[in-house]
Amino acid sequence: MDTAPAAVRPPQAAPTERPPVRAWLQPILIALVVVSAFISCYVGLARAPQPHRLPVAVVGSHLSAQIQQALGDSIDVHSAPSVAAADQALRHRDVAGVLVPEGAGDLYLEVAGANGPSTTGAVKSLISAYGHGAGSTVTVKDVVPLTQYDSRGFAAFYVAFGVTLSGFALAQSILGLSQLLHLRHRFTVMAGFAVIAGVVAATLAGPVLGAVPAPFPLLAVTLALLAAAAAFTTKLLGTYFGPVGVPLATLLLLTIGNATSGATIGEDLLPGVAHSVSGILPPGAAVRAITNLSYFDGAHTLVPLLCLAAWAVCSALLVWGRSTYRATQSRQA
């Protein structure tokens, strides 16, 4: 059977005008900012972490005064009335260590390895330095150890990073579908994905790999809120700032948020500004919730969960408000 020859498209003429400098300079500058911020945050914060007001419960007023005087601002002494009260504070993550005087001037130190190696190491180092200067022997015991399959304490960081990345990637794709999907459909996709991502991530990190011993339903809710926060925040920045919005989300969530989350470097070892934003950004809030649910009986978990929900809901409302405003303006035009 004869077939008609395919139509041949005429070659498109090359642009005759020289592209503006901004067309090629902007992406280069954005990429340089991203790589500079990534290296500065991850390498800069890890190069020389210093404890600042690291909370430690000390039993005995005399020993409390000595410790505070000797270690200064590097430690925040919580004077405990009894060993039981100090131990409870450690197990509810109110302090990072418990120091108890023993006979013959020796010291007994309890730590929670679940706080992470940097925080635990800092507590041991500070108290050991004090003990060496005072001529005391320090006995250390880890009373809240990490699970067998997370011996370095990085599981919460990796899980939070992966879920944040997935929400970011989804929103980036959704931004390109703005002309094809109605806003309610885009919201439905992001909300549905957040639920699925939370369940999948919780299943892998918990029952399958055994690296995160948090109760499964609460872990799934936490990770779903994190995925929603990342997706809707990226959508918000892309909606309001256009092409620059995605790099801004990269800086806020994947770079600053994860670097200051307190998982690889304990929150009490972060410098002032990083410490201030640590628990406010979604990755840091999620890491706190995951750790508290896994090792500290869920203590202090409500605030991180509310923080994640606030990021998701507020971002969604701002995107919806902008869309409604534009639709109203179009009808009035």
Side-chain angles (χ1 to χ4, degrees):
M1 180 183 293
D2 293 336
T3 57
V8 179
R9 297 179 62 185
Q12 295 183 350
T16 55
E17 295 185 3
R18 194 171 186 178
V21 174
R22 179 183 175 184
W24 56 267
L25 186 60
Q26 178 175 300
I28 293 176
L29 290 176
I30 290 175
L32 287 175
V33 169
V34 171
V35 70
S36 300
F38 192 93
I39 293 173
S40 298
C41 287
Y42 280 91
V43 178
L45 292 177
R47 62 190 291 261
Q50 296 293 330
H52 179 68
R53 300 193 64 80
L54 194 63
V56 175
V58 181
V59 179
S61 57
H62 180 66
L63 180 59
S64 297
Q66 288 183 324
I67 292 289
Q68 189 68 78
Q69 183 178 6
L71 299 180
D73 289 338
S74 61
I75 197 169
D76 180 16
V77 172
H78 294 221
S79 184
S82 66
V83 176
D87 186 70
Q88 184 179 18
L90 179 63
R91 295 178 185 275
H92 283 78
R93 214 181 186 188
D94 295 317
V95 296
V98 170
L99 187 63
V100 181
E102 289 191 320
D106 292 334
L107 301 172
Y108 174 70
L109 174 65
E110 288 185 351
V111 295
N115 280 317
S118 60
T119 298
T120 304
V123 174
K124 292 179 181 178
S125 178
L126 287 171
I127 300 303
S128 295
Y130 169 81
H132 179 75
S136 302
T137 300
V138 180
T139 303
V140 181
K141 182 179 180 180
D142 187 350
V143 298
V144 189
L146 289 161
T147 184
Q148 175 185 357
Y149 299 108
D150 184 28
S151 58
R152 298 183 63 195
F154 293 157
F157 170 78
Y158 292 131
V159 171
F161 189 96
V163 172
T164 303
L165 180 61
S166 69
F168 166 83
L170 175 76
Q172 189 176 13
S173 300
I174 291 293
L175 286 168
L177 300 175
S178 298
Q179 302 301 320
L180 301 177
L181 295 177
H182 191 275
L183 181 63
R184 66 176 179 273
H185 297 146
R186 282 175 270 156
F187 275 20
T188 300
V189 170
M190 289 192 291
F193 167 81
V195 174
I196 296 172
V199 172
V200 171
T203 301
L204 291 173
V208 175
L209 299 176
V212 179
F216 178 81
L218 294 175
L219 179 61
V221 168
T222 300
L223 297 179
L225 287 174
L226 174 59
F232 282 102
T233 300
T234 303
K235 172 66 175 170
L236 170 69
L237 294 174
T239 299
Y240 277 79
F241 296 99
V244 182
V246 172
L248 286 176
T250 303
L251 291 173
L252 182 68
L253 298 172
L254 300 179
T255 303
I256 299 174
N258 280 301
T260 62
S261 65
T264 56
I265 303 172
E267 56 192 85
D268 294 303
L269 276 69
L270 293 170
V273 176
H275 183 272
S276 299
V277 303
S278 177
I280 298 174
L281 297 178
V287 167
R288 281 162 175 72
I290 293 170
T291 303
N292 292 340
L293 289 170
S294 297
Y295 299 103
F296 298 98
D297 297 325
H300 310 298
T301 302
L302 180 60
V303 171
L305 292 182
L306 290 176
C307 179
L308 292 173
W311 276 96
V313 172
C314 291
S315 296
L317 288 176
L318 287 171
V319 172
W320 176 81
R322 182 179 177 88
S323 176
T324 302
Y325 174 77
R326 285 185 168 181
T328 302
Q329 293 295 104
S330 299
R331 286 194 297 268
Q332 293 176 353

